[in-house]
Amino acid sequence: MMIFLAVLGALLLAGALYVARGFLLIAKAKRLTARAAAIEAETELLRAETARMEAEQEASEADEAAAKAAAVVALGYVPESDLDTRYWAPVPAERTAVLASVRTGDWAAGAAYVTAAGSDWEERWQRVVALADLAAEEDDAWLLAWRAAHPEDPLAALVNAETGVRTAWNVRGRKGAAYTTAEQFRLFRELLTKAQRDAHEAQSLADPADPLPYMVEQHIAHGLGYPHARYRALWAEITDRAPKVLSAHTHALEHWCQKWRGSHELALAFARESAAAGAPGDLLTLLPLIAYFEQETHEDDLLAETWYKEPEILAAADAALEDLVAAETADPADPRLPRMRHMLAFVLFWQDRDAEAVEQFRQVDGHIGVIPWSYAANPRRRYTYARDWAVGVAHPDL
């Protein structure tokens, strides 16, 4: 009996201890819960305070940036909202007048305008592009009338072919393949294939010395994916006629870039070869700068802050500056100059050569429809970031 009572007592004591331990654990859990709630409340307060401080800092930085932007504008630079993202330079008054006449159906005015450029192939090309853009983006009735009136006119055939190329690329859009629908790709290839036939017609009708009908085929080659051998044959057709047309070289560089049909190595090799073949003032030293820019844009692990300070890129910028001076000395109104100035402004900015960059920004300010700015999701923001920084360094009193 005594043993039974002892066992029972032990069991009761153990139960009491278990119950007491349970109460202690519950009390401890409540204390921990309360402490966790207090910590969470403190954390929320800290988060709120951090958010408030970050918002104040962002507002302060925004105010500072706005003040700096206003100070830059006060020096005569164009406000961000007014920057033209379509053209890299002001449209010549003569071109504006000619396009206005062409819109009314006066295709003869357009024909005369292109013809007046003679064998200045770069200028002639830009005039053809202006007419083709008009037909591709607005009404092409004047072009159809021109072709109907003169079906064997080589110039009409050329403008028609380039219009087809531009129409095709407008349908595809300029975004990456991931943002392009299957239907867009189908129409793109269909339109480019027709443009290819039109380009071949223009080539058959053209003066044998004219490189432009072959330049038309360059962007067809990008889209249809010409094999390297075929593209080299096309390139030979161009350079045999005119070896130093800047637009032809920049189009070819696109083809050899990794994002299209080549690689960084092929693009840079082509760019260096072009630059070496140019004489002072040909502005072909632009090509290596574009090649370096294309590589930096494509490779996520390259930092602009260090990439553009590589010795070979510093040397390429120096060579481009010398080339620019030679071209400007020969013709201060050379319409190719802004293309070089835009790229130099960008590269010199990243090289911390701010005073030199500002000189280029000053010359091109207002029109930014060209690389490197046009590659950005917000071209105006990319441009003003670099411009305003460089101006601020060059004018520390701002």
Side-chain angles (χ1 to χ4, degrees):
M1 184 66 176
M2 293 297 293
I3 294 173
F4 172 76
L5 291 174
V7 171
L8 179 62
L11 290 173
L12 290 174
L13 178 61
L17 291 173
Y18 181 80
V19 171
R21 183 172 180 273
F23 281 122
L24 289 172
L25 290 174
I26 291 171
K28 184 177 181 181
K30 287 182 177 180
R31 288 196 303 272
L32 290 173
T33 301
R35 183 180 177 188
I39 292 173
E40 181 61 28
E42 290 178 3
T43 301
E44 285 300 318
L45 287 174
L46 287 172
R47 287 177 184 152
E49 180 63 15
T50 300
R52 182 188 66 77
M53 292 174 65
E54 288 177 349
E56 287 182 355
Q57 182 177 354
E58 288 176 2
S60 175
E61 290 174 353
D63 289 343
E64 183 179 348
K68 183 176 181 179
V72 171
V73 170
L75 291 175
Y77 292 91
V78 175
E80 180 178 313
S81 59
D82 294 341
L83 292 168
D84 174 19
T85 58
R86 176 167 181 140
Y87 301 106
W88 66 62
V91 178
E94 182 186 12
R95 184 170 303 169
T96 299
V98 167
L99 293 179
S101 295
V102 173
R103 283 188 181 93
T104 68
D106 185 7
W107 53 262
Y113 181 58
V114 175
T115 302
S119 59
D120 181 345
W121 301 120
E122 180 66 44
E123 178 60 24
R124 193 179 181 96
W125 173 251
Q126 297 303 331
R127 295 183 183 195
V128 167
V129 166
L131 291 177
D133 272 338
L134 183 64
E137 297 176 9
E138 298 183 26
D139 186 0
D140 65 350
W142 58 270
L143 178 56
L144 297 175
W146 185 4
R147 294 234 68 196
H150 298 281
E152 301 298 315
D153 185 340
L155 183 52
L158 174 64
V159 173
N160 179 63
E162 181 62 12
T163 297
V165 173
R166 293 188 170 263
T167 300
W169 283 97
N170 288 345
V171 166
R172 184 203 181 279
R174 300 294 174 175
K175 293 182 178 180
Y179 303 96
T180 307
T181 67
E183 179 63 10
Q184 281 178 292
F185 273 124
R186 186 189 69 77
L187 286 172
F188 174 60
R189 291 190 63 84
E190 181 180 306
L191 291 168
L192 269 192
T193 301
K194 180 183 181 304
Q196 184 186 55
R197 293 194 296 270
D198 292 338
H200 292 166
E201 178 191 8
Q203 291 162 12
S204 69
L205 294 172
D207 183 318
D210 188 351
L212 269 57
Y214 298 92
M215 287 175 60
V216 165
E217 197 172 346
Q218 287 185 282
H219 280 143
I220 296 171
H222 298 349
L224 296 184
Y226 281 18
H228 288 182
R230 184 173 181 181
Y231 193 85
R232 289 190 180 99
L234 173 63
W235 182 238
E237 295 285 0
I238 296 168
T239 54
D240 285 349
R241 291 165 171 81
K244 297 181 180 180
V245 182
L246 183 59
S247 288
H249 282 265
T250 57
H251 294 165
L253 180 59
E254 282 185 71
H255 189 83
W256 295 118
C257 282
Q258 185 163 310
K259 69 180 180 183
W260 282 112
R261 306 299 172 184
S263 65
H264 298 319
E265 293 74 20
L266 285 172
L268 187 55
F270 173 80
R272 287 171 172 164
E273 181 181 347
S274 291
D282 286 336
L283 296 182
L284 294 179
T285 52
L286 171 63
L287 275 293
L289 298 185
I290 296 176
Y292 292 126
F293 169 73
E294 289 281 359
Q295 185 171 353
E296 182 265 318
T297 300
H298 191 84
E299 298 293 335
D300 292 337
D301 60 341
L302 292 181
L303 296 177
E305 294 88 342
T306 55
W307 171 246
Y308 291 104
K309 294 185 180 74
E310 290 290 330
E312 65 185 88
I313 306 181
L314 289 166
D318 289 338
L321 284 166
E322 292 177 7
D323 203 4
L324 180 70
V325 170
E328 187 175 25
T329 300
D331 179 8
D334 188 334
R336 302 173 304 162
L337 295 175
R339 297 181 73 179
M340 176 69 92
R341 292 191 186 281
H342 278 290
M343 185 54 70
L344 273 171
F346 178 84
V347 172
L348 293 169
F349 158 73
W350 285 113
Q351 291 177 347
D352 296 331
R353 299 164 69 173
D354 296 289
E356 293 171 280
V358 166
E359 176 57 24
Q360 307 309 321
F361 282 120
R362 186 180 63 80
Q363 298 278 358
V364 300
D365 197 49
H367 301 271
I368 62 170
V370 69
I371 59 171
W373 325 116
S374 58
Y375 274 31
N378 188 332
R380 292 187 178 96
R381 187 63 47 82
R382 169 179 275 187
Y383 176 82
T384 53
Y385 175 82
R387 181 198 68 183
D388 293 1
W389 178 282
V391 171
V393 173
H395 298 270
D397 52 318
L398 290 181

